[in-house]
Amino acid sequence: AQKVTQAQTEISVVEKEDVTLDCVYETRDTTYYLFWYKQPPSGELVFLIRRNSFDEQNEISGRYSWNFQKSTSSFNFTITASQVVDSAVYFCALSENNAGNMLTFGGGTRLMVKP
Amino acid sequence: DADVTQTPRNRITKTGKRIMLECSQTKGHDRMYWYRQDPGLGLRLIYYSFDVKDINKGEISDGYSVSRQAQAKFSLSLESAIPNQTALYFCATSAPGPLSDEQFFGPGTRLTVL
């Protein structure tokens, strides 16, 4: 069965610090997708990134970067020079190719960025 | 206009009442999902539908039922609401394909059962 673990339930940093949110997953499938979503205080889910299991290249988008390592079953998310607007709950999720696009979510990490 | 809409956005109800949450999408996707979010547990799948004639239970379907009235509409019902169904509910859609693609989420419905 697929499983996603976000061990950090809450992280607090001061603005401009770098912060990494950890995500570890379990799957028996060889074809799968990993996702990160952001949930700001307003409650909606904002899609950040999708990564398929065949692409282990790290990705950078502005202050955001993602490190995908199949050897450790991890898909970690780093925010560089954090800002107050980054304060949100962040979810990592897994979708197996054989599971009909159904997402399994981690429990989420609440990030608080203080000014 | 939003591609995935949910009504109502907020609802407060009493134990034992029947509640229906509605989801509509304009993305033309065949696949629709209902999730609930509880603090610390992330989102968990309640029901999913791959087309109008296909309905499947998810991880936590007890106490819920669904109806897929059309490709664009997928409703979630609580036949007799109870307090532990207080949660944030999300509808989502996706398109089928050889490889999984992202799910598109509605804005959520915050349900409180007193």
Side-chain angles (χ1 to χ4, degrees):
Chain A
Q2 57 192 46
K3 183 179 178 181
V4 177
T5 301
Q6 294 178 255
Q8 306 148 306
T9 55
E10 201 166 290
I11 301 175
S12 181
V13 299
V14 177
E15 205 170 20
K16 298 184 182 178
E17 287 185 7
D18 299 346
V19 59
T20 296
L21 283 60
D22 298 332
C23 174
V24 175
Y25 62 93
E26 295 177 26
T27 178
R28 295 177 183 173
D29 211 340
T30 56
T31 304
Y32 53 89
Y33 276 78
L34 294 162
F35 302 78
W36 276 96
Y37 287 87
K38 174 182 179 180
Q39 186 177 45
S42 52
E44 75 273 21
L45 286 168
V46 178
F47 168 81
L48 295 178
I49 190 171
R50 174 184 72 244
R51 172 68 67 204
N52 76 58
S53 54
F54 301 111
D55 182 2
E56 284 193 76
Q57 282 192 342
N58 292 332
E59 181 157 339
I60 298 175
S61 176
R63 296 184 297 106
Y64 295 172
S65 62
W66 290 269
N67 183 4
F68 177 29
Q69 292 195 340
K70 290 178 75 171
S71 61
T72 56
S73 297
S74 64
F75 186 44
N76 297 337
F77 172 34
T78 297
I79 301 175
T80 302
S82 59
Q83 299 177 2
V84 173
V85 293
D86 295 326
S87 297
V89 180
Y90 291 86
F91 292 100
C92 179
L94 167 70
S95 174
E96 291 178 333
N97 190 47
N98 293 327
N101 302 52
M102 288 177 289
L103 288 171
T104 296
F105 283 82
T109 297
R110 180 178 298 277
L111 174 64
M112 292 177 289
V113 181
K114 300 177 180 179
Chain B
D1 289 341
D3 294 321
V4 184
T5 57
Q6 293 182 232
T7 55
R9 294 293 312 279
N10 288 282
R11 181 72 182 269
I12 300 174
T13 190
K14 295 182 179 181
T15 297
K17 294 292 187 180
R18 183 178 188 275
I19 296 296
M20 179 179 285
L21 309 182
E22 298 185 343
C23 176
S24 295
Q25 53 114 348
T26 58
K27 300 191 73 67
H29 288 166
D30 288 326
R31 299 183 174 186
M32 298 187 73
Y33 312 79
W34 275 105
Y35 293 89
R36 67 174 276 175
Q37 181 185 352
D38 299 279
L41 296 178
L43 279 72
R44 292 180 292 165
L45 185 63
I46 305 172
Y47 270 95
Y48 61 100
S49 169
F50 285 174
D51 63 41
V52 175
K53 297 181 180 180
D54 179 79
I55 303 289
N56 302 280
K57 293 182 178 180
E59 179 186 354
I60 52 166
S61 59
D62 287 349
Y64 301 95
S65 62
V66 291
S67 172
R68 186 81 184 267
Q69 301 95 323
Q71 186 203 40
K73 295 184 181 299
F74 192 35
S75 300
L76 177 72
S77 293
L78 288 67
E79 297 300 326
S80 180
I82 56 177
N84 76 0
Q85 291 177 312
T86 294
L88 183 57
Y89 290 84
F90 286 100
C91 174
T93 74
S94 71
L99 295 175
S100 289
D101 207 342
E102 70 175 282
Q103 289 189 10
F104 296 83
F105 286 85
T109 294
R110 190 168 297 278
L111 176 66
T112 302
V113 183
L114 302 177

